[in-house]
Amino acid sequence: MSDVEKYGEPKNEAMVGELGNSTSTDTVDDDALLAKLGYKSEFIREFGNLETFSFAMSMTASIATTFTTPLSLGGVASVVWCWLAGSIMNLSLGASIAEIVSAYPTAGGLYTASAELVPRAYRPIVGWVTGYLNILGQIAGVASTEWGLSGMILGAVVVCRENYVISNWHQFLLFIALLTMHGLLNSMPTAGLARTTRYFVFINIGSAFLIIITLLATTSRADMHPGSYIFTEVSNGSGWPSNGLAVMMGLLSVQWTMTDYDAAAHISEEVHRAAIAAPVAIFVAVLNTGMIGWILNIVLCICAGDVTELPGPSGNAFLGIMYLRMGRAGAMVLWAFVCLVAAFTVQTALQANSRTVFAFSRDGAFPDRGVLGRLNRKTKTPIIAVWFVVAISMLMGVLSFASLTAVNAIFSMCAVALDLSYLIPVVSRRIFDGHSEVKFSPGPFFMGRWGYAVNVIMFFWTLFEVTILAFPATYPLTWNTFNYSAPITIAVMVLSLIWYFAHGKRYYDGPRSNLTHEERESVKDM
């Protein structure tokens, strides 16, 4: 079924053309749908299917920064089985989000959808909570991924200069420099961002397969671990008395990697045929990351050698295995591609985050008089929002001087906050299904009769994995081993609610249309 058949042929083409930035058929359809959702198109649509899929895909670098955790806490069996289980279950999360995004392809993404999927009386508070959770998680994601990238680069320095010891202030300065670089890149026009994004999916997937092939080729058969070892060997490094609990800590890697599912949703107003391209990119990215990531994890475990010697001097088990099998030169060449993928992951995360901040400000949810919701006249991108996210991310990094435990807690709340924000629109849709004030109109990505079952699985799985994400990874518990992600997330949300009832509800009344009265009347006739 075509977009026009799904959403209807625009009856007032003059109005639609005025709302859009192009007169192409795809853009007219996109802008007509956006107008129905209450917004005038302000961005320039430069992202096609390939760019959108590249934008949504993140794998090699994420595995590189998280692989050490399951290996050290639960052993190789934890790495292999938790990735497989998490990937399968996360399909329900990806599909549920994709279905919502297909129906509400706006820069606000799930924040906008959440407010629209509840009765009018609940829209302000639901939109407020979802928006702040989502923005909190995204900013923590930008900061944590950039911090991880700085550690990856310095880990390479350790491999090349064995007498070098990573200092916190070295990592912080590199962290600041990288954030500044990404802020400058995200200040480009949308066309430049699209060109930068276009072919990165091939580098992402290609680097994964190149590492897989090279590891297998450089590891002798005698040095490879057998399947009986990698699928059954549990090594409880967590300190918890239960081996089962130690194994479940392996879910941390897959959940940290397969998060920020809705990133592609937040560039919907910059995408051609967004109601199709964005949700398909989300679902296919989850599927590909799960399959290719599982193969990569298995190969890493096969070629790991003596796991008791990992992560090695670099502090990164992924890099340690590459160095063991490929030597310094080979490891550095391929590690450069891994770092490049990590840099691109931050690039896309920052772009998505800035669009969410833009949408939240556009709707009047920040006490900024709409400053963060303005587009630069030349680039047609929210440059102020970009640098706002960069600034907050830098402040998160400053916490590393107070305590690495504190900064790690801030960063780890990324997945907790984001996953909780994903639950709200899916649950709201089911609770208020059939309500007179809630009219969910499915987009092209629609699960039909399977949707309810998938949403139920997604609900229980998300609650389970959020519990694991918030659970202390090691025992005994001390001030340095306790997992502060949940308390910090709760504290931030409590403060945001206090702010809402004290002042926010005076100026925020839910998503706010930027259409004129005449344009809104024209939309009613479409």
Side-chain angles (χ1 to χ4, degrees):
M1 182 178 289
S2 69
D3 289 342
V4 174
E5 291 173 322
K6 190 71 181 179
Y7 301 117
E9 185 74 39
K11 294 183 179 180
N12 191 328
E13 295 183 4
M15 187 279 294
V16 174
E18 182 180 319
L19 294 178
N21 297 291
S22 170
T23 57
S24 70
T25 303
D26 285 347
T27 302
V28 169
D29 291 340
D30 283 322
D31 293 349
L33 175 57
L34 187 62
K36 285 185 177 181
L37 296 174
Y39 296 102
K40 178 191 296 185
S41 181
E42 299 177 86
F43 291 90
I44 300 175
R45 297 185 185 272
E46 298 282 1
F47 279 72
N49 292 335
L50 179 59
E51 292 86 352
T52 308
F53 180 55
S54 288
F55 189 95
M57 190 75 181
S58 173
M59 176 182 57
T60 311
S62 297
I63 295 175
T65 55
T66 61
F67 177 78
T68 304
T69 299
L71 185 68
S72 60
L73 295 179
V76 289
S78 175
V79 173
V80 173
W81 289 116
C82 283
W83 186 276
L84 177 63
S87 299
I88 293 173
M89 298 304 293
N90 280 331
L91 287 173
S92 66
L93 214 163
S96 297
I97 292 172
E99 188 174 52
I100 298 294
V101 169
S102 185
Y104 299 93
T106 71
L110 298 181
Y111 144 68
T112 302
S114 297
E116 295 295 332
L117 290 170
V118 296
R120 187 73 189 88
Y122 304 131
R123 285 177 189 172
I125 189 66
V126 170
W128 183 278
V129 170
T130 308
Y132 273 99
L133 270 174
N134 197 264
I135 291 173
L136 171 67
Q138 286 191 65
I139 295 179
V142 170
S144 62
T145 308
E146 197 77 280
W147 186 264
L149 173 57
S150 63
M152 290 167 63
I153 294 173
L154 293 179
V157 176
V158 171
V159 171
C160 295
R161 296 178 57 186
E162 296 180 357
N163 61 340
Y164 173 73
V165 178
I166 299 176
S167 298
N168 184 67
W169 71 272
H170 289 177
Q171 187 166 358
F172 177 75
L173 289 179
L174 181 56
F175 170 75
I176 295 297
L178 290 169
L179 276 173
T180 303
M181 177 192 73
H182 283 115
L184 292 171
L185 289 173
N186 264 285
S187 298
M188 294 190 299
T190 305
L193 293 171
R195 283 194 297 270
T196 305
T197 303
R198 185 166 300 154
Y199 301 112
F200 245 97
V201 64
F202 301 112
I203 297 176
N204 201 336
I205 296 176
S207 62
F209 279 113
L210 193 57
I211 291 171
I212 289 169
I213 294 169
T214 306
L215 280 175
L216 293 175
T218 55
T219 306
S220 67
R221 187 67 178 269
D223 291 332
M224 291 183 179
H225 291 302
S228 58
Y229 174 82
I230 65 169
F231 288 109
T232 62
E233 184 67 19
V234 174
S235 177
N236 189 345
S238 69
W240 289 102
S242 169
N243 283 347
L245 184 58
V247 169
M248 282 194 294
M249 290 299 114
L251 290 172
L252 294 174
S253 177
V254 65
Q255 295 309 138
W256 284 335
T257 299
M258 301 177 70
T259 191
D260 204 6
Y261 299 90
D262 63 330
H266 297 295
I267 62 166
S268 290
E269 295 179 33
E270 298 164 85
V271 174
H272 290 290
R273 296 168 59 82
I276 299 174
V280 169
I282 292 170
F283 185 75
V284 174
V286 172
L287 184 63
N288 282 353
T289 300
M291 292 189 300
I292 300 173
W294 193 49
I295 297 172
L296 178 57
N297 274 287
I298 289 175
V299 171
L300 286 168
C301 291
I302 289 174
C303 304
D306 186 355
V307 296
T308 61
E309 296 183 2
L310 296 172
S314 68
N316 188 298
F318 193 116
L319 177 56
I321 295 170
M322 289 176 63
Y323 179 43
L324 172 68
R325 299 307 180 191
M326 303 176 194
R328 180 178 290 126
M332 288 301 96
V333 170
L334 290 182
W335 192 246
F337 283 99
V338 177
C339 291
L340 184 62
V341 172
F344 174 74
T345 302
V346 180
Q347 171 75 4
T348 57
L350 179 55
Q351 183 180 345
N353 197 174
S354 64
R355 274 51 175 177
T356 314
V357 170
F358 162 84
F360 213 43
S361 177
R362 177 175 64 180
D363 288 343
F366 285 133
D368 64 336
R369 298 183 181 276
V371 171
L372 296 172
R374 296 175 185 172
L375 296 184
N376 182 273
R377 293 182 179 180
K378 293 183 178 180
T379 65
K380 294 296 183 183
T381 55
I383 292 179
I384 299 176
V386 167
W387 288 99
F388 171 80
V389 175
V390 169
I392 299 299
S393 298
M394 287 180 177
L395 289 175
M396 287 184 172
V398 171
L399 290 173
S400 64
F401 291 103
S403 167
L404 286 176
T405 301
V407 76
N408 287 333
I410 292 291
F411 294 161
S412 65
M413 73 180 177
C414 163
V416 174
L418 283 175
D419 288 349
L420 289 175
S421 74
Y422 299 154
L423 276 176
I424 297 174
V426 175
V427 172
S428 297
R429 177 196 166 191
R430 295 302 176 183
I431 290 178
F432 297 106
D433 184 31
H435 193 283
S436 60
E437 294 181 6
V438 179
K439 296 179 181 179
F440 176 75
S441 299
F445 189 101
F446 180 53
M447 292 184 286
R449 60 190 181 91
W450 295 101
Y452 188 85
V454 172
N455 290 165
V456 170
I457 294 172
M458 175 262 190
F459 174 77
F460 287 105
W461 168 250
T462 303
L463 289 181
F464 172 74
E465 52 96 355
V466 165
T467 302
I468 296 297
L469 287 167
F471 200 84
T474 58
Y475 185 85
L477 299 181
T478 67
W479 289 109
N480 290 326
T481 62
F482 187 74
N483 189 336
Y484 295 94
S485 58
I488 292 176
T489 302
I490 293 172
V492 172
M493 293 316 301
V494 168
L495 290 174
S496 72
L497 286 173
I498 292 174
W499 174 253
Y500 172 77
F501 287 109
H503 188 67
K505 66 179 182 180
R506 300 177 186 175
Y507 59 82
Y508 178 71
D509 194 35
R512 182 183 302 169
S513 174
N514 64 353
L515 300 177
T516 65
H517 175 73
E518 292 75 15
E519 288 168 344
R520 284 195 294 270
E521 291 301 314
S522 297
V523 170
K524 293 179 182 179
D525 298 329
M526 292 169 59

